[in-house]
Amino acid sequence: MINSSLKQLGHLLASKQISSVELTQSYLQRMAQHNPGINAYITIDEEKSLAQAKAADVSIAAGNAQALTGIPIAQKDIFCAKGWRTTCGSKMLETFISPYDAHVISQFDAVGAVNLGKTNMDEFAMGSSNETSYFGGVKNPWDVDRVPGGSSGGSAAAVAARLCAAATGTDTGGSIRQPASLCGFTGLKPTYGLVSRYGMIAFASSLDQAGPMAKSAEDCALMMNVMAGFDERDSTSLNRPVEDYTRGLAAMTGDQPLKGLRIGLPKEYFAEGLNADVAKVIETAIAEYKKLGADIVEVSLPNNNLSIPVYYVLAPAEASSNLSRFDGVRYGHRAAEYNDLLEMYMKSRAEGFGAEVKRRILIGTYVLSAGYYDAYYLKAQQIRRLIAQDFVEAFKYCDVIMGPAAPSTAFKVGEKTSDPVAMYLEDLYTIAVNLAGLPGMSIPAGFAQSSEGKPLPVGLQIIGNYFDEARMLDIGHAYQQVTDWHQQMPAGLE
Amino acid sequence: MQWEVVIGLETHTQLKTNTKIFSGASTTYGAAPNTQACEVSIALPGVLPVLNKQAVECAIKFGLAIDAEIAQRSVFSRKNYFYPDLPKGYQISQFELPVVGKGKITIQVPAGKSTEAYEKVIHITRAHLEEDAGKSVHDAVDGMSGIDLNRAGTPLLEIVTEPDMRSAAEAVAYAKKLHELVQWIGICDGNMQEGSFRCDVNVSVRPKGTEKLGTRREIKNLNSFKFMQQAIEYETQWQIETLEDGGTIQQATVLFNPDTGETRAMRSKEEANDYRYFPDPDLLPLAVTEEDKSRVRAEMPELPQALQARFVGEYQLSAYDASTLTASKAVADYFVETVQAGADAKQSANWVMGAVSAKLNAEEKTIADSPVTATQLAALLKRIGDNTISNNAAKQVFEGMWAGEGTVDAIIEAKGLKQVSDTGAIEAIIKEVLTANQAMVDEYKSGKEKAFNALVGQCMKASKGKANPAQVNELLKNMLG
């Protein structure tokens, strides 16, 4: 059952072969057993989860079940959930109980899904390894000496270790796709504006986007049906007709379901910086797509090498302002002793934030300062447009872009913590997608062997044009019909 | 040396919207602390701003009223600084691209001790939308400071002038005119005690005849015209004396103390913050289309300038009367209603500016609270017009109406004020008066014109004020031969 798809779980619930309470309890038991070793969850609240499961069972009995009714979903601890502690991975919010629901949370509530718990994450989503969390790092279920990626590392480990049916994540520079690659599951970052950011604690507002993290493309499509949609409380939310993201999945069968699909391979994604083992897996996956009927074309994203420097100007700039509200005045951490207002601010923030958060606040404050704004912030905004233009150009020659989601497989805990720039390079293939506001997805494409001989997952990234999520999910689904990488589980967790 | 003062104003007008500029929380004044602070006002983690369309309409109205350029695209930026009453750690404001651009306002500067009244055009640099901060409360909890976020997020339109004003009188005339205008177009309640209309005044001095502006000091948060006048006069004098004593002016923010009548520096510019403005990524640029402007224009009342022209043209009022009657929309509306109810325009103007205004001032009431409505005033004026009562009697009737003693006719009846216009009856009264005052008659006949007026007075008195004075005059003249 732990390997069942969301659709299968839905059938089991609808046909009363299992109740939501039983399903939720079985996950809670797995969490009690495995979470201490993996640290995927920051907050587990059995009582709350089971109360939701009970309510879901009532709905199902009354014949009101929807696709995800009664299914336990793990929520990244970046989403405010009423009555739940919502920490964003930070000491600053260690005791913060949200009095309101994020849009994403209320969407899952509305369909009767069960909130299984709040998952661990890099502090304020700043990190690529989950090691910046105040609540301790998350272990990669494939090799507990390695990181799960980040920032949505808790959700990633929970999905990989089957400690939830599916999970939510957020992706500012790769925080869904890179952990999806490192932990071997399917993760989608939608087009900017498709999922409301209301109640999602802001890191970099112009880049942040929530998305599903699940075993398969089909599961992600069902999650998208719940998460996407216009919300007037987010001014950047797009008012578009409601879509059924599962609509094309059934057609992905037969001999060559992707006949005529043009896949663009950016030469910059296969250049220096890409691990050879990862490259091999990606090439094999591309070969599989050829068999499914796709044509391969080479494209170029000439400004991709600028995406990391641009990102590390813009994201910290926005973050430095977004994180100003954590001042110890109204909620969150306040220093125990201080002599005046200034000291209260300084001590509260010095104690409440971790090193990576402080580093980015410093960078962001610097690039927005008088005398530096034009050279850094304004220049970065201009280059951001060039990077987006690269994709416009590339999509003239292809329908989707494919490549690696991360340059390497999961690295060792502590391996990159002392070298921020090496850590930042983890997002070499994902950041440009956020800067352009495009949708991007990572699907399991195989394994590379670690030096200790353990299998480590490799993700294939699929980048679509704006609002092409349904098509990307079809493309992922077609691959998952002929491969079983997405059904592989880490050893010892059966 | 002759000095010239140069003044520019920045005015924060609180917009009359039901809800805050970026959230649905109420803006009603005076509620218990933090009861009008929703999750956006408190800046909980994860909340987002959504622009209030009503606030945008207010800005467009103002732009149209001052004949300004209204930006097709304007941008909200974040002004970053830490303060306990600023919950997000930044204020959302408009920086590089404001919604309202250059415009102008014509002011009437009243006559002073040695100057005549005159008109002047004040140029508006810009007006932009922004949110207000909350309030720090320092005395509610012993030994601690409290924060009240009810006001946080209240919509403001900050209106900035060019340094066009050359005296405290001009600055006050501008502030008053702006105060009237924002109320006239219905975007601000104008309540200065509650902080709905607050002025920051930039003052500098320079030798008369020179071009270069002196260093300015900014007087913050003036919320009465009287204080504004005092503050500018004090500040001007202080700057002149400082310079004449060989000192220099440091750019600074100053506060006016109404108790001492002095201004005092709050902080100097060297300590000024770097606000790190950047476009707010949570808000899209504000787009204002021609259709938006037309729609708002259609909802706007006739502006004071247009109404003045109409009063002069249509009602043959003097420019002065027209200007006085358009000092506020309520007064103008009252006047128009009186005329439309059938009263003579010139007479209506005199009464509105005279008796009505005096009574309102004496009782510190606004015209909206006048116990005598425009329709009632028109009824009274008609009774003067048809010779039912004299002007003098009308004043008594007006007092009665003000006191709520009944309708015009009922009061005339009750007080017996009906004018006597019957020739026979008046002649009878005159005869009695002439008989009783032979001495005056003799004086008049010996050439003393004054005696005539005394006799008229006696006749009016004998008629208990009811005789038609014009008739008394005419008949008396005839009868004295």
Side-chain angles (χ1 to χ4, degrees), chain B residues 182-435:
Chain B
V182 293
Q183 292 178 82
W184 187 287
I185 59 177
I187 66 169
C188 176
D189 68 15
N191 191 324
M192 296 177 80
Q193 273 75 45
E194 293 177 5
S196 298
F197 188 89
R198 322 192 282 269
C199 295
D200 300 341
V201 185
N202 284 294
V203 178
S204 65
V205 297
R206 64 184 172 193
K208 209 175 170 92
T210 60
E211 281 293 309
K212 193 167 174 287
L213 290 171
T215 305
R216 68 191 155 89
R217 304 213 310 167
E218 182 180 18
I219 314 169
K220 277 274 183 200
N221 265 334
L222 292 165
N223 64 354
S224 104
F225 299 124
K226 196 175 105 194
F227 293 161
M228 181 184 293
Q229 177 97 26
Q230 290 173 1
I232 296 172
E233 281 168 358
Y234 178 86
E235 177 66 22
T236 308
Q237 208 47 45
W238 182 87
Q239 289 191 16
I240 292 171
E241 281 167 17
T242 301
L243 292 171
E244 286 184 343
D245 291 349
T248 52
I249 306 293
Q250 301 293 325
Q251 195 173 336
T253 302
V254 305
L255 284 180
F256 175 68
N257 182 341
D259 296 329
T260 61
E262 293 174 1
T263 54
R264 203 162 54 81
M266 212 163 81
R267 53 170 188 258
S268 74
K269 275 287 173 191
E270 288 94 302
E271 301 159 38
N273 281 308
D274 177 357
Y275 290 118
R276 290 172 282 119
Y277 281 100
F278 75 106
D280 191 334
D282 287 332
L283 290 161
L284 303 176
L286 167 61
V288 178
T289 63
E290 285 304 316
E291 293 80 71
D292 293 332
K293 285 195 261 180
S294 314
R295 185 172 41 77
V296 172
R297 190 179 279 120
E299 292 166 6
M300 278 178 61
E302 196 172 3
L303 292 171
Q305 307 90 291
L307 210 52
Q308 279 171 30
R310 197 151 69 79
F311 287 177
V312 172
E314 208 169 299
Y315 298 146
Q316 276 89 49
L317 298 189
S318 70
Y320 177 81
D321 287 358
S323 162
T324 309
L325 287 169
T326 52
S328 88
K329 186 159 188 312
V331 170
D333 285 347
Y334 187 98
F335 165 72
V336 169
E337 211 183 311
T338 309
V339 177
Q340 279 171 353
D344 172 69
K346 181 65 194 162
Q347 201 173 26
S348 300
N350 289 341
W351 274 77
V352 172
M353 293 185 295
V356 176
S357 166
K359 208 68 186 147
L360 291 172
N361 284 344
E363 298 188 9
E364 292 185 345
K365 282 188 169 134
T366 67
I367 202 152
D369 306 323
S370 170
V372 177
T373 65
T375 325
Q376 288 170 330
L377 178 66
L380 173 65
L381 301 189
K382 269 189 262 179
R383 286 290 171 264
I384 302 173
D386 65 12
N387 284 327
T388 307
I389 50 172
S390 68
N391 238 322
N392 269 337
K395 278 174 191 152
Q396 291 180 57
V397 177
F398 179 74
E399 290 289 341
M401 290 162 79
W402 193 275
E405 289 166 13
T407 64
V408 175
D409 291 338
I411 295 170
I412 293 171
E413 195 60 45
K415 297 199 173 181
L417 293 172
K418 204 162 194 171
Q419 190 161 258
V420 177
S421 303
D422 175 57
T423 312
I426 295 173
E427 276 178 352
I429 292 169
I430 294 174
K431 267 179 200 159
E432 271 177 42
V433 169
L434 293 180
T435 314

Side-chain angles (χ1 to χ4, degrees), chain A residues 43-93:
Chain A
T43 302
I44 297 169
D45 188 330
E46 298 199 1
E47 211 175 293
K48 277 201 176 66
S49 300
L50 288 170
Q52 281 190 306
K54 237 176 243 169
D57 283 332
V58 172
S59 276
I60 295 167
N64 297 328
Q66 298 178 55
L68 297 187
T69 307
I71 294 181
I73 307 287
Q75 300 288 354
K76 185 175 180 178
D77 207 19
I78 200 168
F79 295 106
C80 287
K82 193 172 180 176
W84 285 81
R85 184 166 74 134
T86 300
T87 71
C88 220
S90 180
K91 180 183 180 184
M92 185 56 88
L93 292 176

Side-chain angles (χ1 to χ4, degrees), chain A residues 329-330, chain B residues 14 20 29 33-34 36-37 40-43 81 83-92 130-138 146-156 194-195 198 221:
Chain A
V329 173
R330 301 166 313 290
Chain B
Q14 183 178 316
K20 293 184 178 178
Y29 179 83
N34 298 309
Q36 291 178 175
V40 176
S41 312
I42 302 171
Y81 65 96
Y83 205 71
D85 65 17
L86 187 72
K88 295 187 295 297
Y90 57 84
Q91 178 197 30
I92 304 177
E130 63 182 27
E131 59 179 343
D132 208 345
K135 252 186 237 170
S136 300
V137 184
H138 295 298
I147 305 293
D148 178 5
L149 295 175
N150 282 352
R151 202 182 64 184
T154 298
L156 301 176
E194 293 177 5
R198 322 192 282 269
N221 265 334

